[in-house]
Amino acid sequence: MQMDYHNLYHLDAVLTGDGVDRVNLLRDGKTDSVFGFDNGIDKIDLTNFSVNWSEVQVKYKGSGEFVITIRGERTKVTFKQPSDGSEITQDFLGADDFIFASGAPDP
């Protein structure tokens, strides 16, 4: 079952659930937080930003936490511990974890 989490009410924090989750981000000038992100399963929807991967800055902070910056908008993403006990690394969050608007222009 897929769950869609929309930041329509300008919520600053989202806790994802089990299964496939899609978190839709909006530009609101606030730092948002996504907790419990499942590697390879959940997606962050950036279609409201009209950006491509080259405009997304990803920084690994350690302990499963990443900070994404897009045109000054920040989002913290904390990964759920993998069920196989493997370590969360800087390679966990990449372009395949995002949904981009089709035809998003190059920067």
Side-chain angles (χ1 to χ4, degrees):
M1 179 172 146
Q2 178 173 322
M3 291 294 295
D4 290 334
Y5 297 92
H6 299 273
N7 193 5
L8 297 176
Y9 302 104
H10 302 285
L11 300 174
D12 295 325
V14 172
L15 174 61
T16 60
D18 292 332
V20 178
D21 299 311
R22 184 174 80 194
V23 179
N24 297 303
L25 299 180
L26 296 176
R27 293 188 70 164
D28 63 1
K30 298 178 183 176
T31 298
D32 300 314
S33 297
V34 178
F35 298 99
F37 198 79
D38 244 340
N39 187 37
I41 298 172
D42 296 339
K43 300 283 185 186
I44 297 173
D45 188 333
L46 299 178
T47 55
N48 292 312
F49 287 81
S50 293
V51 296
N52 59 37
W53 176 241
S54 68
E55 293 179 271
V56 179
Q57 298 172 352
V58 176
K59 183 174 183 181
Y60 183 54
K61 304 292 280 182
S63 300
E65 183 180 285
F66 292 79
V67 174
I68 303 164
T69 306
I70 307 157
R71 298 181 182 161
E73 187 84 15
R74 290 176 42 133
T75 300
K76 294 179 184 177
V77 178
T78 304
F79 276 81
K80 186 183 296 183
Q81 183 62 42
S83 59
D84 65 3
S86 61
E87 183 180 344
I88 297 171
T89 65
Q90 65 186 13
D91 299 326
F92 264 48
L93 192 61
D96 57 341
D97 294 306
F98 296 89
I99 299 169
F100 298 94
S102 64
D106 287 332

